[in-house]
Amino acid sequence: QKEVEQDPGPLSVPEGAIVSLNCTYSNSAFQYFMWYRQYSRKGPELLMYTYSSGNKEDGRFTAQVDKSSKYISLFIRDSQPSDSATYLCAMIRSGNTGKLIFGQGTTLQVKP
Amino acid sequence: GAVVSQHPSRVICKSGTSVKIECRSLDFQATTMFWYRQFPKQSLMLMATSNEGSKATYEQGVEKDKFLINHASLTLSTLTVTSAHPEDSSFYICSASGLAGSGTDTQYFGPGTRLTVL
C-alpha cells in the first residue's frame, strides 16, 4: 500500500465548474500538507501549504486537511482552462525535515 | 521570491557520456536541496537530499557513484549523471528549501531538466 494515494484521473470539467481533488494517506505522522500544480514538462509549483487539520483559502483555491480521516482536499472555484494541469499532493512527516512524499498526481482538464 | 532555476533545460547526449545539471536558488539561501526524477505520467521520486557543505543522502536504490551530487554553496547544487545510458533518460527536477523566517519545510522546485540519452 502506498503511503499517499491519489486518483490519477484524468478529470475533465467544463469551465466555471468547482473542482475537488483529494488524497488519502496512511501514516498519522504526516503533519505538513502541500498541493503543487505541474504543467506539462515543467517543475511543480507550490499552490497551497497547510499545517495539521483545518482549511486554508487563497483566491480560488481552498485546501482542507482532515487528520482524523487522513484525507486532504483541494478545491478550485470557477475553474479556468489555464487550470488544466497535473495536481500533486505532498506531505511531510513530523520530525522528518524536508522529505516530501508525493501522491501520484491527478490530471485535470478544464474545457472552455 | 523563492525562485529556483535549473540549467540546462534540455540535454541530449550519447550513451557513456557524463551530464551535469545545475540547480540554483536565485533569491534565497537554500540550506537543503533535493533532486527528483520523474518518468512520464508518474510522480516525482526523490533521489537524494543534500545539505550545503556535506555529503548527499541518497534514497534506497539510487546509485551514489552514478548520480554525483555536490552542494558547494547555499545557492548552488549540481547533479552529475556519470556514464549515462538510455535508461537514465528522464525528467530531473531539483528543489530547495530554507526560506529565511519561514519556519517550514516548504520546497520550491526548479523547472526541470529533460535528459535524453541516445
Side-chain angles (χ1 to χ4, degrees):
Chain A
Q1 183 187 7
K2 294 180 182 177
E3 283 192 282
V4 181
E5 297 278 358
Q6 184 177 8
D7 186 340
L11 178 62
S12 182
V13 301
E15 184 176 356
I18 297 174
V19 176
S20 173
L21 304 165
N22 311 292
C23 287
T24 59
Y25 61 95
S26 57
N27 192 332
S28 59
F30 286 125
Q31 291 285 348
Y32 303 92
F33 305 91
M34 295 90 167
W35 285 95
Y36 287 87
R37 177 175 62 195
Q38 186 177 25
Y39 292 110
S40 181
R41 300 176 183 269
K42 299 292 184 183
E45 170 194 7
L46 180 66
L47 281 178
M48 299 289 284
Y49 171 98
T50 52
Y51 170 71
S52 200
S53 286
N55 293 357
K56 185 174 183 178
E57 187 173 320
D58 184 1
R60 296 186 295 113
F61 298 92
T62 300
Q64 284 186 353
V65 174
D66 182 349
K67 291 197 70 184
S68 62
S69 302
K70 297 189 180 66
Y71 189 86
I72 68 171
S73 301
L74 177 70
F75 298 96
I76 307 175
R77 291 182 297 281
D78 187 26
S79 56
Q80 303 294 311
S82 59
D83 294 328
S84 299
T86 296
Y87 290 80
L88 298 148
C89 65
M91 42 198 83
I92 299 176
R93 296 186 196 90
S94 175
N96 193 354
T97 301
K99 186 171 179 178
L100 281 171
I101 306 298
F102 280 94
Q104 188 176 350
T106 299
T107 300
L108 170 67
Q109 184 179 21
V110 181
K111 295 184 176 180
Chain B
V3 178
V4 177
S5 70
Q6 273 184 250
H7 178 80
S9 59
R10 178 177 292 187
V11 59
I12 301 173
C13 68
K14 292 182 179 180
S15 184
T17 60
S18 293
V19 175
K20 179 185 282 189
I21 303 170
E22 290 187 351
C23 176
R24 293 181 186 272
S25 56
L26 299 184
D27 52 2
F28 66 101
Q29 292 188 327
T31 53
T32 307
M33 287 186 168
F34 305 84
W35 287 96
Y36 294 83
R37 182 165 53 183
Q38 186 177 33
F39 292 106
K41 298 191 184 296
Q42 295 187 25
S43 192
L44 286 77
M45 291 176 49
L46 180 64
M47 298 174 67
T49 303
S50 73
N51 293 291
E52 184 264 341
S54 60
K55 289 184 178 180
T57 301
Y58 290 81
E59 294 299 300
Q60 190 173 10
V62 178
E63 300 176 58
K64 62 180 181 181
D65 294 329
K66 181 168 185 62
F67 299 99
L68 302 178
I69 293 172
N70 182 274
H71 192 161
S73 75
L74 285 172
T75 60
L76 173 64
S77 176
T78 60
L79 167 68
T80 301
V81 183
T82 62
S83 186
H85 288 91
E87 59 266 28
D88 298 323
S89 299
S90 188
F91 193 49
Y92 292 86
I93 310 174
C94 72
S95 71
S97 69
L99 206 59
S102 69
T104 70
D105 296 322
T106 304
Q107 291 182 33
Y108 295 90
F109 285 82
T113 297
R114 183 159 301 281
L115 171 64
T116 302
V117 184
L118 303 177

